[in-house]
């Protein structure tokens, strides 16, 4: 699958005001600055579709994009921004928990993980929470262009071992680079396959 049309629709704090849940939807989440917005732009071939920044905390709301008029892509605000206030974190939690658990057309969430660093507790706890709530997710390792192949392999092996300590089955994983357009074919193929499972009657 190739994306030919992608458009920003709306930003929201409130799931009630999100677009009608009549199309399959995919969300992108992960620590602040991990590369969510950059990955979205790479998948859509549009440099400035989702706002990116070298300063963490750029994305603050639930951002809906409509893709080829048949599915929604959602850019979510990141977690783990060290300079966030307690009330900001609480607001994020309320908004994200409600969105992830109640959005009925959300077929899968991509959890982005920085491939350069060892497993972080905040990411592991987030994925644990997703699994406990039976919310489907995939992992996308980002910024792999910044690593040598041997370093990447070492980090991925380590990540697999870490996840295997608690889980019998591991989620689907993708390797990506927004600068090198790596992972695009695989992620879009997964979305295209998953779209076929969606019928409005199942809502
Ligand atoms: P928040 O919205 O703040 O949570 O951040 P985000 O996860 O959306 O990250 P964003 O896409 O804004 O990227 C953060 C920084 O990482 C930017 O400076 C990007 O240019 C850079 N970046 C993102 N993806 C890649 C990548 O695959 N390779 C490289 N080299 N840099 C990347
Ligand atoms: Mg962002």
């Amino acid at each position: 699958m190739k994306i030919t049309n992608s458009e920003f629709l709306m930003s929201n704090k409130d799931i009630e005001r999100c677009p009608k849940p009549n199309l399959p939807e995919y969300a992108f989440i992960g620590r602040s600055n991990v590369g969510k917005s950059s990955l979205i732009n790479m998948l859509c071939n549009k440099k400035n579709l989702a706002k990116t920044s070298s300063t963490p905390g750029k994305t603050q709301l639930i951002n809906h994009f409509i893709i080829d008029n048949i599915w929604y892509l959602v850019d979510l605000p990141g977690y783990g921004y060290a300079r966030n206030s307690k009330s900001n974190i609480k607001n994020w939690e309320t908004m994200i928990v409600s969105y992830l658990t109640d959005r009925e057309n959300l077929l899968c969430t991509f959890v982005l993980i920085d491939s350069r660093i060892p497993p972080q507790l905040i990411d592991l706890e987030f994925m644990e929470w997703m699994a406990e709530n039976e919310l489907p997710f995939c992992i996308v390792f980002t910024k792999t262009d910044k690593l040598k192949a041997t370093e990447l392999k070492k980090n991925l092996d380590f990540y697999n071992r870490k996840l295997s300590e608690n889980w019998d089955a591991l989620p689907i994983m993708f390797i990506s680079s927004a600068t090198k357009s790596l992972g695009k074919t695989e992620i879009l193929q997964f979305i295209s396959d998953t779209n076929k499972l969606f019928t409005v009657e199942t809502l």
Side-chain angles (χ1 to χ4, degrees):
M1 178 173 74
K2 259 203 181 113
I3 293 176
T4 50
N5 194 279
S6 49
E7 276 162 49
F8 171 72
L9 269 186
M10 59 171 84
S11 295
N12 270 305
K13 265 202 275 223
D14 190 349
I15 180 179
E16 305 299 326
R17 309 180 93 171
C18 288
K20 235 173 95 185
N22 57 352
L23 294 175
E25 181 158 311
Y26 302 86
F28 291 76
I29 201 164
R31 277 188 314 123
S32 273
N33 220 35
V34 69
K36 299 174 290 295
S37 303
S38 303
L39 177 69
I40 289 167
N41 293 343
M42 182 272 268
L43 294 174
C44 296
N45 304 310
K46 255 194 199 174
K47 237 181 167 178
N48 297 313
L49 183 66
K51 290 190 188 115
T52 64
S53 168
S54 52
T55 321
K58 181 74 188 165
T59 311
Q60 292 286 350
L61 296 165
I62 300 168
N63 298 289
H64 272 83
F65 299 86
I66 176 89
I67 312 296
D68 289 333
N69 292 318
I70 55 163
W71 57 280
Y72 293 124
L73 187 158
V74 174
D75 189 14
L76 293 172
Y79 48 78
Y81 176 36
R83 286 161 71 184
N84 239 338
S85 67
K86 269 194 179 147
S87 69
N88 268 349
I89 295 171
K90 192 78 210 131
N91 289 343
W92 177 90
E93 237 177 67
T94 309
M95 175 171 83
I96 294 296
V97 166
S98 147
Y99 170 76
L100 291 174
T101 52
D102 296 339
R103 182 74 174 156
E104 63 254 63
N105 59 332
L106 178 61
L107 296 193
C108 186
T109 298
F110 293 93
V111 180
L112 274 61
I113 303 283
D114 191 329
S115 64
R116 300 170 300 172
I117 53 174
Q120 303 287 300
L121 193 58
I122 195 163
D123 291 321
L124 297 172
E125 283 179 350
F126 179 76
M127 290 189 280
E128 202 67 56
W129 177 84
M130 292 287 284
E132 275 165 16
N133 286 278
E134 297 179 0
L135 299 169
F137 68 94
C138 296
I139 294 179
V140 181
F141 290 99
T142 63
K143 306 192 185 184
T144 61
D145 56 283
K146 293 200 170 183
L147 288 175
K148 291 194 192 109
T150 48
E151 287 171 328
L152 177 63
K153 185 177 178 315
K154 198 179 94 200
N155 288 1
L156 295 184
D157 286 349
F158 188 65
Y159 221 99
N160 271 288
R161 279 205 302 280
K162 187 76 194 166
L163 292 180
S164 302
E165 285 174 10
N166 286 333
W167 298 349
D168 294 334
L170 297 183
I172 295 176
M173 298 183 190
F174 298 98
I175 291 165
S176 81
S177 159
T179 52
K180 294 199 169 164
S181 281
L182 204 73
K184 183 191 261 179
T185 314
E186 294 79 3
I187 293 170
L188 292 181
Q189 184 62 50
F190 172 82
I191 290 174
S192 162
D193 292 344
T194 311
N195 277 346
K196 292 178 191 138
L197 307 173
F198 183 85
T199 53
V200 178
E201 291 78 45
T202 60
L203 288 177

